[in-house]
């Protein structure tokens, strides 16, 4: 119980009254400073050209966290002389799939993007901008982590290192495509500035595996669900980036499959009581974060014809079913009590946000937040302590398809 209380104490920090509570890939959270990129834009503005200058992105925008890890431990984990559980043939097969680069020619823009962006106005325009900003930063965060892992593991395990490098290629391609989308709205992220200015959050390797596996798989289910919905309801296809989600989500899925292989190669992360606690903890933090953030942005989902809560529950259930194939324990998200508690957290979170928007002095705001944070922590603890579903296997079933599609 002491361990579980420690977990809940940690997860209770994810209150949206704090600037760390946000995600785009739903497992990565914090506030990041952003700025406008090109100097040429400023020059255009100075000349009073017809096109509006790209404006600086709000520095207070909630965006994903950048991560670092213990690279020496990573090298030991993937040293074939130390770790006899490494299935090099599986990694070599995955490497060939990544080398094929199915999406090499997929992310090609056309004039439809700018034309569609010009037609989006009012509140929906700002919502789209935020969606692109958050998504771009999340993809870039993954690029930085994977690139460094590819560099550091090159001597220890060249096969695994090359896969990380190729995943960084995918993430960079996604980030660049999203940043180009921002240019349709006369904005851009200075990714070079982010690289130098961001504070990096340290996560132990096993936590990187849990969180990133969930991040990639939940990203898959979000993308494919939106894609299928808009294919059936083309009248809501207000911006062409969604047409790319079918192929895009397969990158996310391949990345998730790679992390599942990494977890299988480290059975100590899957086969004891601590692994069960951590698995449930990361499922809870990712699912709750996504649900609370999306419920703050219902206008975006309504704008593309989705019911936010129905969409999120679908994504959570499918991600949980996928995750149950590898994690030793997962949450019982299909229990109606789970959703009831999520909705209660949304209510508390809305009250926390309302406190933050008052004109009270900081001391008064903090006093008002105390009972709300306690209530949120109580709901989180109760959700965490719901009877879990025992699951997972170090070996996947032989009939499991490579792509969940």
């Amino acid at each position: 119980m002491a361990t579980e209380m420690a977990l809940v104490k940690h997860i209770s920090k994810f209150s949206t009254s704090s600037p760390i509570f946000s995600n785009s890939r739903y497992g990565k959270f914090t506030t990041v400073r952003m700025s406008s990129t090109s100097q040429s834009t400023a020059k255009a503005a100075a000349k009073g050209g017809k096109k509006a200058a790209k404006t600086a992105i709000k520095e207070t925008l909630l965006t994903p966290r950048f991560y670092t890890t213990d690279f020496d431990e990573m090298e030991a984990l993937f040293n074939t002389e130390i770790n006899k559980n490494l299935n090099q043939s599986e990694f070599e097969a995955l490497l060939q799939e990544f080398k094929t680069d199915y999406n090499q020619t997929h992310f090609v823009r056309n004039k439809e993007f700018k034309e569609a962006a010009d037609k989006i106005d009012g509140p929906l325009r700002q919502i789209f901008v935020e969606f692109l900003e958050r998504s771009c930063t999340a993809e870039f965060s993954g690029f930085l982590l994977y690139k460094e892992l590819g560099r550091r593991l090159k001597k220890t395990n060249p096969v695994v290192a090359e896969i990380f490098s190729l995943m960084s290629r995918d993430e960079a391609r996604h980030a660049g495509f999203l940043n180009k989308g921002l240019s349709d709205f006369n904005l851009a992220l200075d990714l070079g500035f982010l690289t130098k200015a961001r504070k990096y959050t340290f996560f132990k390797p096993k936590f990187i595996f849990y969180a990133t596996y969930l991040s990639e798989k939940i990203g898959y289910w979000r993308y494919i669900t939106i894609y299928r919905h808009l294919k059936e309801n083309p009248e809501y296809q207000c911006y062409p980036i969604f047409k790319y989600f079918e192929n895009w989500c397969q990158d996310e899925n391949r990345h998730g499959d790679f992390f599942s292989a990494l977890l299988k190669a480290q059975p100590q992360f899957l086969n004891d009581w601590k692994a069960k606690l951590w698995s449930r903890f990361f499922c809870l933090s990712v699912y709750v974060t996504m649900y609370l953030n999306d419920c703050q942005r219902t206008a975006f989902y309504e704008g593309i014809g989705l019911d936010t809560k129905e969409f999120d529950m679908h994504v959570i259930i499918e991600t949980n079913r996928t995750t149950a194939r590898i994690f030793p324990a997962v949450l019982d998200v299909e229990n109606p009590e789970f959703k009831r508690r999520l909705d209660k957290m949304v209510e508390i979170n809305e009250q926390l946000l309302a406190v933050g928007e008052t004109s009270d002095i900081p001391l008064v705001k903090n006093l008002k937040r105390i009972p709300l944070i306690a209530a949120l922590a109580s709901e989180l603890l109760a959700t965490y302590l719901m009877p879990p579903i025992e699951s997972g296997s170090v070996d996947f079933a032989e009939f499991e398809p490579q792509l969940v599609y």
Side-chain angles (χ1 to χ4, degrees), residues 20-44:
I20 69 169
F21 199 101
S22 177
N23 74 332
S24 182
R25 297 280 300 280
Y26 305 93
K28 309 173 183 178
F29 352 76
T30 200
T31 301
V32 67
R33 181 185 172 192
M34 303 183 180
S35 70
S36 173
T37 48
S38 73
Q39 294 180 355
S40 61
T41 308
K43 292 178 181 178

Side-chain angles (χ1 to χ4, degrees), residues 151-170:
R151 186 182 72 83
R152 294 291 294 266
L153 296 174
K154 193 171 293 184
K155 293 182 179 179
T156 304
N157 195 318
V159 174
V160 170
E162 189 171 0
I163 293 175
F164 273 118
S165 296
L166 293 175
M167 289 203 304
S168 74
R169 169 206 68 194
D170 295 343

